[in-house]
Amino acid sequence: MALPRWQERYPMPVGRWSRSWDRFVALWAGINLLCVAFDISYVPIRTFWLQRNLYPIPSVPLVVPLAAIPDITPWVDPIKGIEPHRETQAYLRQFRQLDAALRVQPVGAALSPAQLSLLQRQRQLTLTLIETNPFLASEGSGTLEKIKSRLRQRVNTDSARDAARTLFSTAWLQQHGWQGERLFWQEQVLPLVATNYWRSIDGNGRPTDHFWRIDLLLFQSVFALDILLRVIRLRRRLPGLSWRDALLRRWIDLPLLLPFWRWLRLLPVVERLQSSGLITIEPLRAVVSRAVVALLAVELFEVLALQLLDGAQGVIRSRQWPQRIRSLCSHQSVSGSKEERELAALVRIWAPLLLSQVLPRLGPELQGVLGYALKQSFENSVVPAPLRPLQPLLGVETGLGQQLASGMVESLLDLSKKTGQQLSRRDQQQLDLLQRVLDRFWEELAVALEQGEGLARSQELLCVLIDGLKGTYLSQISRSSIETLIRELDALTTAAASADFPASAASPKAAPATPQP
């Protein structure tokens, strides 16, 4: 039994340079796939890269800081066309001024005119932030809702505007002090405000994205060179192959050159990693395909079985059935020729076997059958009824029957052996005679079916038989039987792996590898 497919050696390109280049391109394609995944996911999760914090429970302000991760937003934001939002940046600058003015303010002390002006300015900016919602530019309306919810919870009120007025009022600050309020704003509100941004639009009306330049310069140029080398390698192995057909054979590499639908690059990357021998995905593919087979096998088997049986019924019900039988004759068959006479060749092979080997071994049994038949014949016709009770006559009758049976069987067997030996010889005239017999048989069978009611009755009976076969066979197909077959396949595959894999591993050069394009 053959080895499981994931334990077979994948054909590798000939030559150390080719193998090294293919593995380099496979690894480079893997790196490109990671870059594409990062580029696609950067804008949706930019808040994480900006703050580098994890929130395990969204409804609870529990923060897990990841300070080991560097801040990459200053380098990636210009590539994505992301700029700081003017309104939220002005809000943050104003809060820093207010914080610097109130940081030395003791609890319960009166505020100076400058502090009151800054406090009133921050209150107005907060109300404007709630009313205008500048987070729409970054599709972050949910961020504003979080800010409003935290303000309401801080003051224990139902209105975010009333909460903002209360938090920046003199009475609230004199009662709670600025140090406690400062921690609330810096830990729960300002980080959300800082996530807002503005993204520019290019000439096509799309958000700016310059990643395609990096992709084209560093990755797609390498992929184009590799595809060209693979096509040249393929045309060297198949000189008659045109450039177009060679490129079409590398259709799986097309996503590597597309500037859109870049997530489709997963297919060529996995194929290259598999073909270069860096990874093997056959076990995963086998598990997935087996699960699909287990889900669809019952319906698939039913459809195939019905199609085959319905096709057989259609052939049987056809009025051209006698003509189909007559077309089996060599002089009417399109594919019939003197070199390809399959039925005559089968008769020439099986007839010697039956006549010269099988029938001679049945000699004793045939003698017993024929002797018993002759004895019964003698008892009923040769010996008169009044003389049958005499034992000597019965003994003579039995002996005579056995002698006659033995002689007849031996004669028939001798004739069978000679006929089989004669048929086993290659003789063109004999082959023509056998072909003539078979042609005559098909002709007479077609004529017999055309005459009388035999054709209609045979068609009716065969169709009824197939209908019964449909009900019997299809009723036996079930999900449990398919699962049993899959378990049996697993057992056979495991046995093949334990029996054949060590032998193949001991002789890895048993079969030369075929270079892949």
Side-chain angles (χ1 to χ4, degrees), residues 367 370-372 374-375 378 395-411:
Q367 290 179 8
L370 187 57
Y372 181 78
L374 291 174
K375 179 183 176 181
F378 286 151
V396 172
E397 178 185 345
T398 303
L400 181 61
Q402 290 179 353
Q403 291 180 1
L404 289 175
S406 177
M408 294 176 63
V409 170
E410 288 180 358
S411 300

Side-chain angles (χ1 to χ4, degrees), residues 209 213 386 399 514:
D209 191 353
R213 299 180 180 178
T514 303

Side-chain angles (χ1 to χ4, degrees), residues 321 452-464:
W321 197 19
E453 299 180 355
L455 177 61
R457 185 58 178 166
S458 299
Q459 290 175 333
E460 180 182 357
L461 292 175
L462 288 175
C463 290
V464 171

Side-chain angles (χ1 to χ4, degrees), residues 39 79-81 199 202 207-213 262:
D39 178 69
I79 297 176
K80 308 298 291 185
R199 192 174 182 184
D202 59 13
T208 302
D209 191 353
H210 300 293
F211 178 78
W212 65 270
R213 299 180 180 178
R262 292 175 295 172

Side-chain angles (χ1 to χ4, degrees), residues 37-49 80 82 138-139 197 199:
F38 172 78
D39 178 69
I40 294 175
S41 62
Y42 176 76
V43 174
I45 62 173
R46 179 180 176 274
T47 301
F48 167 77
W49 295 111
K80 308 298 291 185
I82 295 177
S138 59
E139 299 181 356
Y197 61 87
R199 192 174 182 184

